[in-house]
Amino acid sequence: MPDNAKMEKGHISIHTENIFPIIKKWLYSEKEIFLRELVSNGVDAIHKLQHINLIEGLQLEDEYAIDITVDKDAGTLSIRDNGLGMTADEVRKYINQVAFSSAEEFVEKFKDLDDKNQIIGHFGLGFYSAFMVSEKVEIFTRSYQSDAVAVHWVCEGSTDYHLEECDKAGRGTEVVLHLGAEEKEFLEPFRIREILKRFCNFLPVPIRLAGDVVNDQNPLWTRSASEVKDEEYRDFYKKLYPLADEPLFWIHLNIDYPFNLKGVLYFPRLTTEFDVAKSHIKLFCNQVFVSDNCPELIPEFLNPLQGCLDAPDLPLNVSRSYLQNEPQVRKIREVISGRVASKIVELAKGDRAGFVPVWENIHTFVKYGMLRDDKFHDKLKDHVIYRLAGSQEYVTLPEYLEKAAAKHADKVYYTNNEAAQSTYLKLFANQGMDVLVLDSLIDSHFIQFLEMKNGKVAFQRVDSDVTENLIEEDAKIQLPGKDERKARLDRIRQLFEEAIKADGFSVRVENFKDDSVPGMVVLSEQTRRLQEMTRMLRKGDENPFGEHTLCLNGKSPVVDTIIGLKDQGRDEDAAMLMQQIYDLSMLPHCAFDRERMAAFLERSNRILCKFGSLG
């Protein structure tokens, strides 16, 4: 057919007469996406013309733009570009000859799809998405070629079309949508601006609405990181998330090989309102907004990340199933994980005091990432910081082990509850021994993971045993002799074994270096871990406390008082004190039921009344 269109009527070459009702029905829930498709087509036409202009040296004007016009009286919405334009033959080829599957296959394949906007693009529906909102669509277009004749195409939502010459003056294409009666919202400039801000805010061509440019053509990720100041990163973050606090840190991506990926990612300050289970990344394709729900692009442990990723190699209408099965997506995740790890290392090597508040926000996700990703672990293992109990000082694990090498080589003492374990922590502090605070939910798993990764290092909670560093050596004990010492310790043990009736209970007597603590319940690290695992399986069983040891301090004045009371025949008072020592030692380990707590408080009052006046 010759490249002219004096007056032509025809039939769009598709495989079903009912394709337009199907488009309206199946794409209705995401109908505003039509504007993204038409604007993107215009930008693409401009880019193609710019390329031809450069290659062929046509010396065309450089002022390119997309203009959007609303005419409420006529009920039309127009999208106009000054790009490549089309000849009559090109209109026949690109507009009329659309190859669809049969209507039955189309409906059957996508009827259960949750995200309807994923359909667009799979069957060449970019331009035809205009019929989601239009009763009639017109195209006025003129090719950039010097001898081109402008043409006018019109279709009223059926497979029939009209094509004729027209008097359009300038090159480019204008698409005029005659909106349906139920689509009048798209005649409101504020609604159009809202859609443009969502889908087209960062397109590289000026987009004008009523003469005003509504988009940012040069977003930060298109620039080199060396050109961008910190304040610009913060301002861009505010543009993306106006109500959010200032981010903790950011990462600028500009990757050309083995794939193309640009973007700026931010780690936010987390609040109770922040949904860490949801994806917060905005995905773009050549600066066209694609989705803000693409969890497949980010490792699960980095879900809090916000910001923008521009992946031009991914299709504009990318689907969730595509992302789940595309090898490039896995590589993108690996790159992001590696860049985040490198940024954290950079921050950790800098100002420790400045890194601490960042770490307090991100440590759970970093530890989870180390559990899940060996490469992530290897980069960060020597830069994880831990707070020392009773202070605001933070150390790395290598720093802690180096300092503790003389007293307890390859052994790490930790607390998961400073308040409940304060008695134990006091003993360690008095002997100049540092204790790490590991009190988050993930730490119990993280500890075992670190032990697995480094077989030499063992973690031991402060209440798991009375370490030899807290016990006096035999040579320093000022007693008449070993026999007398053994007899005294045996007597103390026997007294408590007779007084305390509890399942799995045993007694051990040592002379602590510190005499301020009469006794502590200890539970071996491995036994306690096993019991905690069992507790998770026994839902509803709050205190499955099994075998445990009461480690008594033979040097304690309170223990001496108990022996004195027994010698005086005051067995009831001695038993009361022994039960009190046991209950005080148990409090850090388990919650008392109502009956036991009442007995403990009543006994405490009796002890105060009876012994409060004694010298």
Side-chain angles (χ1 to χ4, degrees):
M1 185 176 290
D3 187 11
N4 58 58
K6 295 296 185 181
M7 179 60 183
E8 174 184 325
K9 295 181 180 181
H11 200 68
I12 297 175
S13 177
I14 58 177
H15 295 155
T16 174
E17 297 292 328
N18 301 313
I19 195 65
F20 292 101
I22 292 172
I23 289 174
K24 288 176 178 287
K25 176 181 178 182
W26 289 103
L27 303 184
Y28 184 82
S29 64
E30 295 287 345
K31 59 188 176 183
E32 68 268 19
I33 212 168
F34 80 91
L35 191 57
R36 183 192 78 174
E37 296 298 307
L38 296 178
V39 171
S40 297
N41 286 348
V43 172
D44 186 54
I46 289 172
H47 281 164
K48 288 178 179 177
L49 181 60
Q50 289 173 324
H51 180 72
I52 293 172
N53 189 28
L54 179 66
I55 298 300
E56 299 184 7
L58 300 179
Q59 298 183 342
L60 299 175
E61 65 184 52
D62 291 329
E63 289 188 25
Y64 299 98
I66 307 290
D67 284 284
I68 298 175
T69 306
V70 174
D71 187 333
K72 288 188 176 181
D73 293 335
T76 60
L77 175 67
S78 302
I79 299 93
R80 183 174 72 253
D81 69 71
N82 56 350
L84 197 66
M86 291 182 286
T87 64
D89 278 347
E90 287 170 334
V91 170
R92 296 185 186 101
K93 178 179 179 181
Y94 296 115
I95 301 300
N96 294 345
Q97 298 173 11
V98 180
F100 288 101
S101 301
S102 68
E104 294 79 16
E105 180 185 351
F106 181 85
V107 174
E108 181 64 27
K109 186 168 183 178
F110 291 102
K111 66 180 181 180
D112 297 322
L113 192 64
D114 292 331
D115 192 1
K116 296 295 191 296
N117 71 336
Q118 294 173 16
I119 300 172
I120 298 177
H122 285 286
F123 290 92
L125 288 171
F127 167 73
Y128 281 93
S129 64
F131 286 95
M132 288 193 289
V133 297
S134 307
E135 294 178 343
K136 179 171 73 172
V137 176
E138 294 183 272
I139 298 176
F140 298 88
T141 185
R142 180 171 185 166
S143 172
Y144 74 97
Q145 300 173 35
S146 58
D147 59 348
V149 176
V151 294
H152 172 220
W153 178 93
V154 60
C155 176
E156 297 187 8
S158 71
T159 54
D160 295 324
Y161 71 89
H162 295 269
L163 182 64
E164 61 184 345
E165 295 180 1
C166 68
D167 58 359
K168 175 177 168 54
R171 69 163 194 270
T173 299
E174 180 176 12
V175 180
V176 180
L177 310 182
H178 296 260
L179 298 175
E182 298 179 356
E183 315 301 341
K184 299 305 182 183
E185 62 178 293
F186 300 114
L187 293 175
E188 299 296 336
F190 79 89
R191 179 71 170 111
I192 298 300
R193 183 181 295 269
E194 175 186 73
I195 298 171
L196 292 173
K197 282 292 185 181
R198 180 185 177 194
F199 290 107
C200 308
N201 197 35
F202 299 114
L203 281 171
V205 174
I207 301 171
R208 297 188 290 235
L209 177 63
D212 294 330
V213 176
V214 299
N215 63 317
D216 175 4
Q217 299 115 62
N218 298 293
L220 282 192
W221 71 76
T222 64
R223 299 161 57 186
S224 170
S226 60
E227 301 174 356
V228 186
K229 299 178 181 179
D230 287 354
E231 197 56 39
E232 291 180 284
Y233 284 115
R234 295 187 182 97
D235 289 344
F236 186 62
Y237 183 74
K238 281 292 185 185
K239 183 182 293 185
L240 295 173
Y241 309 100
L243 302 179
D245 294 331
E246 188 172 298
L248 295 168
F249 61 84
W250 52 83
I251 300 159
H252 194 133
L253 299 170
N254 193 343
I255 300 165
D256 296 321
Y257 182 82
F259 50 81
N260 293 316
L261 182 68
K262 298 180 185 295
V264 180
L265 300 179
Y266 297 86
F267 206 108
R269 295 180 187 274
L270 301 180
T271 64
T272 53
E273 291 81 18
F274 195 93
D275 186 356
V276 297
K278 179 184 175 184
S279 169
H280 300 272
I281 300 294
K282 300 179 186 294
L283 176 63
F284 293 79
C285 178
N286 285 319
Q287 297 175 230
V288 181
F289 177 77
V290 175
S291 175
D292 54 7
N293 183 28
C294 296
E296 294 81 7
L297 289 172
I298 302 291
E300 184 183 10
F301 57 89
L302 294 178
N303 264 353
L305 284 177
Q306 296 179 310
C308 302
L309 287 177
D310 194 329
D313 294 337
L314 295 179
L316 177 60
N317 300 290
V318 65
S319 67
R320 296 290 300 276
S321 60
Y322 176 91
L323 291 175
Q324 290 167 356
N325 297 293
E326 171 58 30
Q328 181 179 303
V329 172
R330 176 178 54 80
K331 294 177 183 177
I332 290 174
R333 285 198 299 267
E334 291 176 355
V335 166
I336 291 173
S337 174
R339 292 297 179 88
V340 171
S342 297
K343 182 65 176 184
I344 294 172
V345 170
E346 175 190 330
L347 295 171
K349 285 182 175 180
D351 174 29
R352 177 68 59 85
F355 179 57
V356 166
V358 175
W359 179 252
E360 288 300 309
N361 271 268
I362 70 174
H363 74 95
T364 297
F365 302 95
V366 172
K367 292 171 182 175
Y368 182 49
M370 293 172 71
L371 290 171
R372 296 293 301 271
D373 186 332
D374 284 341
K375 292 181 180 178
F376 195 73
H377 162 266
D378 293 343
K379 286 188 176 183
L380 289 169
K381 62 182 179 180
D382 293 334
H383 302 283
V384 174
I385 59 174
Y386 308 84
R387 185 169 64 84
L388 296 178
S391 75
Q392 291 303 313
E393 182 183 353
Y394 283 75
V395 298
T396 65
L397 189 57
E399 289 168 350
Y400 177 89
L401 291 171
E402 181 180 1
K403 183 178 179 181
K407 289 187 176 181
H408 47 93
D410 295 327
K411 185 173 287 187
V412 180
Y413 291 106
Y414 71 96
T415 174
N416 68 343
N417 190 325
E418 286 184 275
Q421 295 155 13
S422 59
T423 300
Y424 306 86
L425 292 174
K426 181 181 177 183
L427 292 176
F428 278 80
N430 288 345
Q431 301 306 316
M433 296 170 63
D434 289 329
V435 175
L436 301 183
V437 178
L438 288 160
D439 58 359
S440 66
L441 291 175
I442 198 172
D443 282 336
S444 61
H445 303 285
F446 191 59
I447 288 168
Q448 296 183 63
F449 173 76
L450 293 177
E451 290 176 331
M452 179 190 70
K453 284 291 186 180
N454 188 342
K456 293 181 179 180
V457 176
F459 283 75
Q460 185 170 311
R461 207 167 78 178
V462 290
D463 57 356
S464 64
D465 198 0
V466 180
T467 173
E468 60 185 17
N469 300 91
L470 305 179
I471 300 172
E472 286 191 342
E473 298 175 12
D474 286 351
K476 297 179 180 179
I477 299 175
Q478 302 300 315
L479 289 174
K482 290 185 178 179
D483 291 340
E484 290 84 349
R485 173 180 178 270
K486 183 177 184 304
R488 183 174 184 275
L489 297 181
D490 286 344
R491 187 182 180 196
I492 295 171
R493 180 168 53 252
Q494 182 180 0
L495 289 174
F496 274 81
E497 286 175 344
E498 292 174 351
I500 307 300
K501 305 300 181 185
D503 293 336
F505 170 75
S506 62
V507 180
R508 171 182 159 198
V509 186
E510 300 282 1
N511 284 293
F512 295 5
K513 291 180 179 179
D514 190 322
D515 65 4
S516 64
V517 177
M520 324 184 288
V521 165
V522 294
L523 187 66
S524 75
E525 184 75 14
Q526 297 307 317
T527 300
R528 181 183 51 74
R529 292 185 190 182
L530 180 61
Q531 290 190 2
E532 287 177 349
M533 188 183 303
T534 303
R535 185 179 302 127
M536 287 190 293
L537 298 175
R538 295 186 193 171
K539 295 181 180 179
D541 189 353
E542 296 182 359
N543 294 311
F545 205 79
E547 293 185 0
H548 58 287
T549 300
L550 175 61
C551 190
L552 293 165
N553 184 0
K555 287 181 59 179
S556 168
V558 180
V559 173
D560 286 340
T561 297
I562 292 170
I563 293 174
L565 291 172
K566 292 294 289 186
D567 290 342
Q568 297 170 31
R570 297 169 60 183
D571 293 353
E572 184 179 340
D573 291 339
M576 181 170 59
L577 287 180
M578 286 187 282
Q579 186 67 48
Q580 189 74 356
I581 289 174
Y582 175 66
D583 278 358
L584 284 170
S585 300
M586 284 294 289
L587 272 175
H589 294 275
C590 64
F592 290 176
D593 59 26
R594 181 181 299 180
E595 182 179 347
R596 184 171 182 180
M597 180 57 74
F600 172 74
L601 294 174
E602 189 274 333
R603 188 189 321 113
S604 299
N605 288 326
R606 281 194 289 130
I607 290 172
L608 288 174
C609 293
K610 182 163 289 194
F611 297 99
S613 62
L614 296 180

